Amino acid sequence: MTARRSLELVCPAGTPAGLRAAVDAGAHAVYCGFRDETNARNFPGLNFDRAEMREGIAYAHARGARVLVALNTFMRVGAIETWTRAVDDAVAAGADALILADIGLIAYARDAHPRQRLHLSVQAAAATPEAIAFYRDRFGIARVVLPRVLTLDEIARLTAAAAPCETEVFVFGGMCVMAEGRCLLSSYATGKSPNQNGVCSPPSHVAYREENGALTATLGGFTIEQFGRGEPAGYPTLCKGRFAANGATSHLFEDPVSLNALELLPRLAEIGVSGLKIEGRQRGRAYVAAVVRAFRGALDALAQGRAPDAGALRALTEGQADTTGAYRKAWR
Amino acid sequence: MHGHLPPVVARLARTLPLAPLELVAQRLFANALNRRPSLFARLGPFAQATFAIDPVDCPFVFLITPAEGRLRVRETLGTAPHAARIAAPLVVLLGMLDGTYDGDALFFSRDLVIEGDTEAVLALRNAIEDAELDPATVLGLPAALCAPVNRIADLALDGARRMLDAPAPGGPRHAAPPR
């Protein structure tokens, strides 16, 4: 097993090539999943088969990086063994930790593999000291991934209360304002969900139509967004759509912006957060390598007592709409 | 869209016969499939689909059907049956092939247009991302030549992208990723 660091950069790997790109760019750890409904990024062409997982873990370990295997959907009655077999296979492949959400699967993993390190997925939506303490004390959860709706002060209080359980927070990528693991918007629109099928706004139900330079994006037949000529486009995620309500048209639930908490790294380190998560297993390896390199540079600078070079990431995000999210409550 | 070839190049290309282009493109396509059989596993059922790859600054369109190892070149898409269309300037499409560009970022910035079966497009994008199709692999060159050829090709493509004011490689421009 590869050693953990005090402030670990946890990076996305949607494919074996993505894993190599993240590790080579300086990831301390990568997270990835099997090519099925056991993980919350069950998209066509993405993820790892069993052999690829073993090879990916060997590649990462040879370079001092850890691999966290996400098995973070909820088990379906009648197909429990799909999830329990995935736990067994991830452990056999040498996973440094399993990222789990389903309480039954957590119980199975703890009983079947008593020495395996377990993390609690953001999909479990554990956002109170009581919830975290339950998972920590009952199942020996070593780290909890916190929801993306907490302020820095709330994270500080939770991190103190969770000890010796570690906390991990998102620092870059897509935002989610919902109680993760309990969001039913995709189910309502398409019949498929991130929680059981591993797909938020499944591509099988996404359609784009371009007319006279304007782009219309629909999900399950619902129009989610219309982009004017030249206007930056987005994926038709229901919570980020533009809707007419109460006489006004707006991004009703959430603006389609990306989280960027690079400038908050010193404060997150001070709070005692252990994991810094970059979102984006569905993104290309060029993107992953660029973001990982920028964050790794910032963390190395921080470790040497220097201020992180915010400019490095600003160059990458030029023209992009980003936010420090709920951490400073600037975003609604 | 940024990265368009100069119109004079497109006009010249229009005078060339399509048959030799189809022959060469078919050869390159076969090389890629032979060298990267994992493409089929990642594509899954979408290997049966026909994709229209449309370099919008060129007077031709590629139609590929991975399961059949088939590539055709047409002057226009017309009514040719296809599951999805992926359209962008030629240097942008080449940059997606070799991993220079992030497909999501290109789509968000409107430098890339997709139409049709979104799931099939995503499967193809992810399969290509993992395949790491560098120029030497697509050309079917022996291992000893790969590094120098890729270096030269990277320099040439990088120069072409800058000359044509193509989108900057890499970074998460206009990123509004799903979820």
Side-chain angles (χ1 to χ4, degrees), chain A residues 162-183:
Chain A
C165 178
E166 302 167 354
T167 56
E168 179 173 306
V169 298
F170 285 86
V171 290
F172 197 84
M175 290 294 302
C176 181
V177 288
M178 300 301 163
E180 293 184 60
R182 295 170 198 169
C183 176

Side-chain angles (χ1 to χ4, degrees), chain B residues 10-103:
Chain B
R11 275 200 298 276
L12 271 175
R14 203 166 285 127
T15 63
L16 301 172
L18 291 184
L21 172 65
E22 184 170 272
L23 212 62
V24 172
Q26 172 68 56
R27 183 67 249 162
L28 301 180
F29 185 50
N31 288 341
L33 294 179
N34 290 337
R35 293 279 185 101
R36 297 287 188 268
S38 64
L39 269 167
F40 289 106
R42 290 210 167 266
L43 279 168
F46 301 107
Q48 311 284 340
T50 295
F51 298 89
I53 312 296
D54 186 355
V56 291
D57 49 348
C58 298
F60 47 79
V61 178
F62 300 101
L63 287 161
I64 61 167
T65 312
E68 297 172 10
R70 189 170 175 210
L71 181 148
R72 290 164 291 155
V73 181
R74 296 283 180 271
E75 268 184 47
T76 59
L77 192 53
T79 55
H82 59 281
R85 172 177 170 259
I86 301 164
L90 183 64
V91 291
V92 172
L93 291 172
L94 289 173
M96 285 182 69
L97 198 64
D98 68 11
T100 299
Y101 286 121
D102 174 55

Side-chain angles (χ1 to χ4, degrees), chain A residues 92-110:
Chain A
D96 295 283
L98 309 183
I99 308 172
L100 307 174
D102 185 306
I103 199 167
L105 193 62
I106 294 170
Y108 170 81
R110 179 46 68 230

Side-chain angles (χ1 to χ4, degrees), chain A residues 20 206 233 282-285 287, chain B residues 102 108 118 125 129 132 172:
Chain A
R20 292 191 292 272
V206 168
Q282 73 282 12
R283 301 299 296 265
R285 60 186 196 277
Y287 167 95
Chain B
D102 174 55
F108 297 142
T118 309
R125 196 285 296 263
E129 265 290 327
E132 297 178 295

Side-chain angles (χ1 to χ4, degrees), chain A residues 49-316:
Chain A
D49 65 23
R50 266 46 177 182
E52 288 170 343
M53 186 64 82
R54 285 192 297 274
E55 290 161 12
I57 289 174
Y59 184 91
H61 285 179
R63 288 154 185 81
R66 303 198 313 143
V67 177
L68 321 179
V69 179
L71 304 164
N72 57 347
T73 48
F74 293 84
M75 296 194 286
R76 195 176 61 253
V77 174
I80 301 298
E81 64 282 0
T82 302
W83 279 263
T84 54
R85 198 170 51 240
V87 164
D88 297 340
D89 291 347
V91 173
D96 295 283
L98 309 183
I99 308 172
L100 307 174
D102 185 306
I103 199 167
L105 193 62
I106 294 170
Y108 170 81
R110 179 46 68 230
D111 290 344
H113 306 284
R115 299 184 59 193
Q116 178 65 46
R117 182 178 164 90
L118 304 180
H119 290 187
L120 190 66
S121 169
V122 69
Q123 284 280 99
T128 61
E130 290 78 7
I132 296 170
F134 173 77
Y135 284 105
R136 178 195 65 205
D137 299 341
R138 174 65 184 84
F139 301 112
I141 289 288
R143 181 184 293 181
V144 56
V145 184
L146 296 177
R148 284 168 266 194
V149 293
L150 302 171
T151 64
L152 283 172
D153 286 345
E154 287 165 338
I155 290 169
R157 286 200 295 275
L158 277 176
T159 298
C165 178
E166 302 167 354
T167 56
E168 179 173 306
V169 298
F170 285 86
V171 290
F172 197 84
M175 290 294 302
C176 181
V177 288
M178 300 301 163
E180 293 184 60
R182 295 170 198 169
C183 176
L184 299 175
L185 285 175
S186 272
S187 298
Y188 173 75
T190 71
K192 289 186 169 183
S193 86
N195 312 322
Q196 288 201 297
N197 309 105
V199 281
C200 172
S201 304
S204 53
H205 291 68
V206 168
Y208 296 103
R209 199 177 63 250
E210 187 134 2
E211 268 175 338
N212 303 322
L215 181 69
T216 301
T218 63
L219 178 73
F222 296 98
T223 297
I224 304 299
E225 182 72 280
Q226 285 180 319
F227 308 97
R229 187 187 296 274
E231 186 183 5
Y235 197 84
T237 312
L238 261 167
C239 61
K240 294 171 189 168
R242 193 153 38 182
F243 304 106
N246 297 330
T249 300
S250 68
H251 292 107
L252 207 54
F253 304 107
E254 179 187 359
D255 294 326
V257 295
S258 288
L259 174 69
N260 178 8
L262 187 120
E263 66 183 78
L264 302 179
L265 293 186
R267 176 71 182 127
L268 291 169
E270 194 178 278
I271 284 171
V273 163
S274 299
L276 303 172
K277 188 167 219 146
I278 294 171
E279 188 271 354
R281 277 192 278 160
Q282 73 282 12
R283 301 299 296 265
R285 60 186 196 277
Y287 167 95
V288 169
V291 177
V292 171
R293 211 171 284 123
F295 268 89
R296 178 59 191 269
L299 283 181
D300 289 348
L302 198 62
Q304 292 160 12
R306 293 184 284 119
D309 178 12
L313 198 62
R314 201 173 303 126
L316 290 175

